[in-house]
Amino acid sequence: MIKISGLTKSFDNVVAVDHLDLEVGDELFIFLGPNGAGKTTTLKMMTGLLTPDEGTVQLNGISMRDEPLAAKRQFGYAPEQPNLYEKLTPNEFIQFILDIYGAPDQGKARARQLFDIFELSERQHDLIEDLSGGMKKKVSLIAALVHQPKILFLDEPTAALDPKAARHLKDILRGLVRKGVTVFMTTHILEVAETMCDRIAIINKGKLCAIGALDRLRVQYGSGLSLEDLFLKLTGEIYSSKIDEFLQDA
Amino acid sequence: MLPLLLKNVFRTLFANFRGKLVKKKRALLTLLGLAFFPFLIMSQTVDLFSVWMHIPTMGATFVVRFVATSFFAVLVLLCLTSLPSVMHHFFLAPDLSLLRALPINKRTIFLAKFVQVTLGTVGMYVAVGLPLLVSMCLALGAAPSIFAIMLIASLLFIFIPTGLSAIVAFALARLFSVVKMRRLATLILGLFIVVTWAGLQLVRLSRLNPASPDFQPQAVRDFAAWSAPGPLPSDWLVNSLYAATLAQWQTVGLNLAALLLSAAALACLAIVWRVRLDHKDIRMDAGRISKTARDIGTRSFLRPALAMLRKDMQVTRRDSRLLHSSLLLGAMLLVSPFVTSADVGNPGTVGLFMSYMPLTILTLIASSTLARQGLPLERLSLQYVLQAPVSLTSVLMTKIVRALLLIAPFTIVACLITAYKTGTAVPGAALAIAEHLSFVLCGAVTGSVVAVFTTNYAWSDPRYMTNALGAYSSTFIVLAVGAIGMSIIMAGELLGQQMVAFLLFFIYVFLVFWIGLRVSLARFRKLQWT
Ligand SMILES: Nc1ncnc2c1ncn2[C@@H]1O[C@H](COP(=O)(O)OP(=O)(O)OP(=O)(O)O)[C@@H](O)[C@H]1O
Ligand SMILES: [Mg+2]
């Protein structure tokens, strides 16, 4: 259960998130929006990394402002940029996460399974600085999954993953939702959104434009629209004339 | 293409002086710190050299000899400085792959890199090499025009250490991983600096100064008997200047030609070799850690804090910059009892107190310096700690404990050495250790307060996080905090109320710790992860 109301954050001269209200149950919820829409900023506020200017965040009924530690125990978060400790090995990093979350002994077994699934077992004793970009992303996903959180915040989890790993991740996420975990993720890959989400929200310039199950949105904004058409309709025009101009010069 | 590349090199070099004010201030303060060295060296040598000039058995040849010998050390220092830098700029620099993708000749790229590495050593040369030459020329009474020759000779000379290091680095690159070698090379540089520093403290220049009470004629004779190993670039440099003062232009020309030829030959060899290495495999991995991470072994509330501590120690051990600074400070602590003259340790307790004082000051500075790294070492990964259910208090405590663990062993050993040298009795030594450990705590707390306040929070690059303002202010603040503690102990000694003083001292340390933690927590809470 995630509940945010009136969430607002502005940076020097931009309002990144503007009075956002959302309620997400035990479902796979996808957060869409153009670059700079405020998705990452929203996630950072929900995970306590940024203090909102206004508004509240409640995770499983626990307020992030009043009881930050209890609220932080509810979720796992894989950020957009992995930014791991370069001088640790994946194995050491995951052990660090398990120790910090006080995860029980089966954490080790889960870690081993996840390393296997994401084909990292061979590389788990190399320093993270030697891993490829996609491998680092996988390590940060494992860190979010390994301590069995009830809520998962994933910022563009499938970006940089190879097709097989992306498929594995999607299967894992669907399975977890069936077991009562709340998954809140952003993505730019509409195919991912179309095939796996329960509900989507589209934000633009920090404001919510649409929210609901895909079928319901189609009914609302015109049947027969693909998600891509819907997204573009809600978030702005296509610059076809400018593209023609560019191609002419080329 | 080369001018364009060099323009970029200069731009990155001076980037610190442009842009944000904070960055500018930091760069200026660093420069100010570096400018201190030439003054220090010249103040030590100008008078000494002119005294030597007036002694018939010494004279100009002795001065030149001395400078040439010292310059051999400068040459080694420059080689060691450029070695890690060569490994970085020729193999690991992130812009290399970009440059290679551009339509530029590889030789041009590596020539630009060669210049870049050399420019990186200029600061060191100006700080420790140039002042020696200036002192020598002043003592020899050279005409001002000699400074033009000094400039030309220096310009040729500084390329030589780059070339030598490049050749060593390229030979080793076929055998070992470059990343590991860079780590080792940085460590060797640090150790060399500590050993030289300690050596200079032990071998006092005043022993060679006939005007000083410490003068030892034997030391002069020993020095004169010691001959430098053959003609070296450092000798060519010094000889060209000496010959210029004697107006022996042919010798000047020969020496400058030797410098020019060897610089050019080394540069060409390095560049050609590096281009050829492009077709060989060069290992750049940081290596495997064979062990599986063990369980922390406790289920208590301490577990997250212990996990963070273990992680910090792993990072410190594997990050050459961090390892380097803690070993450097540790070595300085160990050397300090030998360096400070123990003669003040006369029977009175105040004298004894004084003989511990340099160690106390060094302890304070060392622990605050290490504590200041605590937050920046997290880099952007701090997000994993901030999103985890751990309190900010325990995060800050871990940082303080890390500094304690890194400094305390050295402090204890240094205290024992001092106690042995001054003949302190066992209870006195135990007390000294307890006091110094308290000073370590004071220093660590002060350092982390300063870190929380002065950190720039440019998470992506920790070098930009600790600003020079923080470094300077932390030195002052930690010394002020320490001075209060020292004066409490001192007052106790003077008034003969040692026990009361120690009690007050420990209360004071506790207060520093508690207030420091509160203050830094208040600031840390406001931290925004942007
Ligand atoms: N630290 C910051 N300082 C200033 N502005 C910021 C900062 N972080 C984000 N912003 C601004 O807030 C807005 C929202 O950014 P955010 O990163 O949340 O977008 P996003 O939806 O995640 O975009 P993307 O799809 O590119 O990841 C942008 O206009 C961005 O420039
Ligand atoms: Mg984003």
Side-chain angles (χ1 to χ4, degrees):
Chain A
M1 261 294 284
I2 306 167
K3 187 165 179 244
I4 63 180
S5 48
L7 209 59
T8 303
K9 181 84 198 175
S10 30
F11 296 107
D12 308 329
N13 39 21
V14 275
V15 183
V17 177
D18 196 357
H19 295 94
L20 198 63
D21 299 303
L22 276 180
E23 212 164 310
V24 181
D26 297 344
E27 59 186 324
L28 205 155
F29 189 86
I30 290 198
F31 206 39
L32 296 177
N35 292 136
K39 303 179 295 293
T40 300
T41 307
T42 308
L43 277 173
K44 282 180 177 172
M45 286 191 281
M46 293 200 282
T47 50
L49 292 177
L50 269 181
T51 320
D53 295 342
E54 273 174 53
T56 56
V57 176
Q58 289 208 333
L59 304 176
N60 289 335
I62 303 166
S63 156
M64 177 58 81
R65 199 188 49 208
D66 302 335
E67 293 174 80
L69 291 197
K72 285 175 180 177
R73 224 164 260 131
Q74 305 300 314
F75 67 82
Y77 170 41
E80 188 174 4
Q81 305 291 340
N83 292 322
L84 303 158
Y85 293 98
E86 302 269 305
K87 300 289 177 192
L88 298 190
T89 66
N91 178 283
E92 288 166 343
F93 178 64
I94 298 301
Q95 182 64 44
F96 168 66
I97 293 289
L98 287 172
D99 285 328
I100 277 214
Y101 283 84
D105 292 324
Q106 68 246 43
K108 273 210 148 126
R110 285 171 59 85
R112 210 164 19 228
Q113 291 161 351
L114 286 167
F115 276 131
D116 269 345
I117 293 170
F118 288 110
E119 300 184 321
L120 278 177
S121 303
E122 298 275 293
R123 304 298 300 268
Q124 61 171 312
H125 296 299
D126 289 355
L127 289 188
I128 289 176
E129 65 183 2
D130 286 344
L131 301 186
S132 75
M135 291 177 188
K136 290 181 186 171
K137 186 83 190 185
K138 288 177 186 173
V139 174
S140 85
L141 287 168
I142 295 176
L145 291 166
V146 76
H147 55 93
Q148 291 187 293
K150 296 186 203 86
I151 300 174
L152 274 172
F153 290 117
L154 307 174
D155 203 348
E156 297 184 27
T158 50
L161 292 194
D162 59 55
K164 192 163 155 196
R167 174 62 186 273
H168 289 162
L169 180 71
K170 285 192 270 184
D171 291 349
I172 290 175
L173 293 181
R174 288 251 45 114
L176 286 175
V177 169
R178 251 179 276 128
K179 290 180 127 188
V181 172
T182 306
V183 177
F184 185 108
M185 61 184 263
T186 73
T187 182
H188 288 300
I189 306 172
L190 297 181
E191 181 268 333
V192 171
E194 240 161 351
T195 53
M196 64 187 295
C197 75
D198 295 313
R199 283 199 306 154
I200 60 170
I202 299 179
I203 69 165
N204 192 15
K205 300 191 176 136
K207 286 204 177 75
L208 198 63
C209 308
I211 181 167
L214 205 48
D215 300 336
R216 294 259 308 273
L217 291 181
R218 285 208 180 100
V219 171
Q220 203 172 337
Y221 294 97
S223 53
L225 285 183
S226 69
L227 181 56
E228 187 181 16
D229 296 331
L230 190 71
F231 184 88
L232 295 174
K233 190 171 174 181
L234 287 167
T235 58
E237 57 184 318
I238 281 275
Y239 303 119
S240 16
S241 60
K242 289 186 187 168
I243 293 172
D244 287 343
E245 222 172 279
F246 170 76
L247 289 175
Q248 244 160 34
D249 291 347
Chain B
M1 267 306 151
L2 187 65
L4 218 64
L5 287 182
L6 288 181
K7 195 170 139 197
N8 238 341
V9 166
F10 273 104
R11 223 187 247 155
T12 29
L13 203 66
F14 291 106
N16 287 338
F17 291 96
R18 302 185 311 184
K20 292 232 180 77
L21 191 68
V22 201
K23 263 169 79 186
K24 256 190 248 174
K25 256 195 240 152
R26 190 177 61 95
L28 279 176
L29 283 172
T30 315
L31 215 61
L32 221 68
L34 270 181
F36 172 72
F37 276 94
F39 284 111
L40 191 75
I41 292 176
M42 286 184 59
S43 69
Q44 295 263 330
T45 50
V46 170
D47 291 339
L48 184 65
F49 289 176
S50 52
V51 171
W52 287 350
M53 285 299 286
H54 289 112
I55 294 176
T57 52
M58 302 172 104
T61 40
F62 192 81
V63 173
V64 172
R65 178 114 188 227
F66 178 84
V67 174
T69 312
S70 314
F71 238 80
F72 175 61
V74 173
L75 179 67
V76 175
L77 180 65
L78 290 179
C79 285
L80 290 178
T81 311
S82 51
L83 192 58
S85 166
V86 162
M87 289 170 183
H88 179 78
H89 287 292
F90 281 88
F91 294 101
L92 305 167
D95 64 338
L96 266 181
S97 49
L98 182 76
L99 287 174
R100 273 171 217 257
L102 297 176
I104 310 177
N105 190 325
K106 274 184 194 166
R107 274 187 228 134
T108 316
I109 296 177
F110 292 126
L111 178 57
K113 289 283 166 199
F114 195 86
V115 175
Q116 189 171 10
V117 172
T118 309
L119 284 176
T121 60
V122 167
M124 189 70 98
Y125 181 77
V126 172
V128 301
L130 214 51
L132 275 174
L133 294 184
V134 173
S135 291
M136 177 179 90
C137 292
L138 290 178
L140 295 178
S145 59
I146 196 160
F147 289 99
I149 297 179
M150 190 189 293
L151 208 68
I152 297 170
S154 298
L155 215 57
L156 297 174
F157 175 76
I158 51 169
F159 285 95
I160 293 174
T162 311
L164 291 173
S165 321
I167 284 163
V168 171
F170 299 163
L172 291 174
R174 296 294 311 277
L175 304 173
F176 309 103
S177 153
V178 183
V179 175
K180 285 187 195 163
M181 281 198 307
R182 179 179 56 176
R183 211 185 293 165
L184 191 67
T186 323
L187 203 65
I188 291 174
L189 170 65
L191 290 180
F192 179 78
I193 290 175
V194 174
V195 169
T196 318
W197 172 78
L200 283 180
Q201 305 295 316
L202 294 175
V203 186
R204 296 249 160 72
L205 270 186
S206 53
R207 288 192 199 159
L208 291 175
N209 187 354
S212 143
D214 293 350
F215 179 61
Q216 292 174 1
Q218 186 56 39
V220 174
R221 256 168 277 145
D222 287 348
F223 184 81
W226 192 78
S227 63
L232 287 164
S234 46
D235 297 328
W236 299 331
L237 172 64
V238 175
N239 287 340
S240 69
L241 289 176
Y242 182 41
T245 60
L246 302 175
Q248 296 173 346
W249 300 113
Q250 202 180 353
T251 319
V252 174
L254 275 176
N255 280 301
L256 286 183
L259 284 174
L260 174 66
L261 283 180
S262 46
L266 285 170
C268 289
L269 179 60
I271 290 163
V272 171
W273 194 351
R274 179 62 190 86
V275 171
R276 290 189 56 162
L277 276 184
D278 258 1
H279 308 293
K280 308 268 161 59
D281 354 302
I282 300 293
R283 283 180 47 209
M284 299 193 191
D285 58 303
R288 283 171 74 87
I289 308 295
S290 49
K291 276 185 297 189
T292 304
R294 263 176 307 145
D295 205 77
I296 286 280
T298 168
R299 292 278 170 275
S300 68
F301 70 99
L302 276 177
R303 184 179 167 128
L306 287 176
M308 284 191 285
L309 192 61
R310 174 164 78 177
K311 181 255 312 165
D312 278 0
M313 293 311 241
Q314 283 165 335
V315 171
T316 308
R317 209 166 55 228
R318 293 175 196 160
D319 185 311
S320 53
R321 249 167 33 86
L322 297 175
L323 179 66
H324 195 170
S325 58
S326 47
L327 285 184
L328 210 77
L329 290 167
M332 284 169 84
L333 278 170
L334 290 186
V335 170
S336 72
F338 297 103
V339 170
T340 54
S341 50
D343 327 333
V344 273
N346 47 16
T349 37
V350 177
L352 195 63
F353 175 84
M354 292 307 282
S355 58
Y356 278 95
M357 190 125 107
L359 176 61
T360 314
I361 291 173
L362 204 55
T363 300
L364 285 164
I365 292 177
S367 59
S368 71
T369 307
L370 287 184
R372 241 167 354 94
Q373 306 168 335
L375 273 179
L377 73 79
E378 294 277 343
R379 302 199 188 191
L380 283 165
S381 323
L382 186 64
Q383 61 183 335
Y384 289 100
V385 173
L386 292 183
Q387 72 175 56
V390 287
S391 66
L392 296 183
T393 319
S394 60
V395 176
L396 282 179
M397 279 298 293
T398 327
K399 302 300 173 192
I400 293 172
V401 173
R402 165 183 173 273
L404 276 174
L405 287 183
L406 288 175
I407 283 300
F410 294 108
T411 304
I412 293 174
V413 174
C415 276
L416 289 174
I417 296 173
T418 314
Y420 177 75
K421 282 193 70 183
T422 55
T424 320
V426 174
L431 208 58
I433 289 177
E435 281 165 12
H436 280 84
L437 290 182
S438 312
F439 280 121
V440 175
L441 183 64
C442 278
V445 172
T446 317
S448 59
V449 173
V450 173
V452 171
F453 277 91
T454 60
T455 298
N456 292 328
Y457 297 113
W459 298 102
S460 48
D461 192 338
R463 273 175 307 162
Y464 295 133
M465 287 179 67
T466 45
N467 56 20
L469 195 65
Y472 287 86
S473 61
S474 95
T475 308
F476 285 119
I477 296 173
V478 81
L479 287 181
V481 169
I484 297 178
M486 283 188 262
S487 25
I488 295 176
I489 300 176
M490 182 80 152
E493 302 282 1
L494 288 174
L495 301 174
Q497 294 284 343
Q498 281 108 333
M499 276 347 270
V500 180
F502 291 137
L503 210 63
L504 279 177
F505 172 69
F506 289 121
I507 293 174
Y508 170 71
V509 171
F510 179 77
L511 276 180
V512 168
F513 172 72
W514 193 77
I515 295 173
L517 200 61
R518 289 285 114 195
V519 172
S520 37
L521 259 183
R523 176 70 180 81
F524 200 17
R525 284 227 168 82
K526 288 205 203 109
L527 184 72
Q528 292 285 305
W529 185 265
T530 60

Short mmCIF file of all heavy atoms in Angstrom, two decimals, chain A residues 39-40 80 155-156, ligand 2:
data_model
loop_
_atom_site.label_atom_id
_atom_site.label_comp_id
_atom_site.label_asym_id
_atom_site.label_seq_id
_atom_site.Cartn_x
_atom_site.Cartn_y
_atom_site.Cartn_z
N LYS A 39 9.42 11.88 -12.45
CA LYS A 39 9.26 10.51 -11.95
C LYS A 39 10.32 10.18 -10.90
O LYS A 39 9.99 9.72 -9.80
CB LYS A 39 9.36 9.51 -13.11
CG LYS A 39 8.39 9.74 -14.22
CD LYS A 39 8.53 8.74 -15.35
CE LYS A 39 9.86 8.82 -16.09
NZ LYS A 39 10.06 10.05 -16.87
N THR A 40 11.59 10.42 -11.25
CA THR A 40 12.65 10.10 -10.31
C THR A 40 12.52 10.92 -9.03
O THR A 40 12.72 10.41 -7.93
CB THR A 40 14.02 10.33 -10.98
OG1 THR A 40 14.10 9.50 -12.12
CG2 THR A 40 15.16 10.01 -10.05
N GLU A 80 17.63 4.80 -10.46
CA GLU A 80 17.83 4.89 -11.91
C GLU A 80 19.31 4.63 -12.25
O GLU A 80 19.63 3.82 -13.11
CB GLU A 80 17.41 6.30 -12.35
CG GLU A 80 17.37 6.50 -13.83
CD GLU A 80 16.79 7.88 -14.18
OE1 GLU A 80 16.49 8.67 -13.27
OE2 GLU A 80 16.65 8.15 -15.37
N ASP A 155 13.22 2.22 -10.52
CA ASP A 155 13.32 3.33 -11.48
C ASP A 155 13.97 2.82 -12.75
O ASP A 155 15.16 2.53 -12.77
CB ASP A 155 14.13 4.47 -10.85
CG ASP A 155 13.82 5.81 -11.49
OD1 ASP A 155 13.15 5.82 -12.54
OD2 ASP A 155 14.23 6.85 -10.93
N GLU A 156 13.18 2.70 -13.78
CA GLU A 156 13.62 2.16 -15.07
C GLU A 156 14.42 0.87 -14.90
O GLU A 156 15.59 0.80 -15.30
CB GLU A 156 14.44 3.21 -15.82
CG GLU A 156 13.58 4.42 -16.13
CD GLU A 156 14.29 5.46 -16.96
OE1 GLU A 156 15.21 5.10 -17.71
OE2 GLU A 156 13.92 6.64 -16.86
MG MG C 2 14.23 9.56 -14.00
#
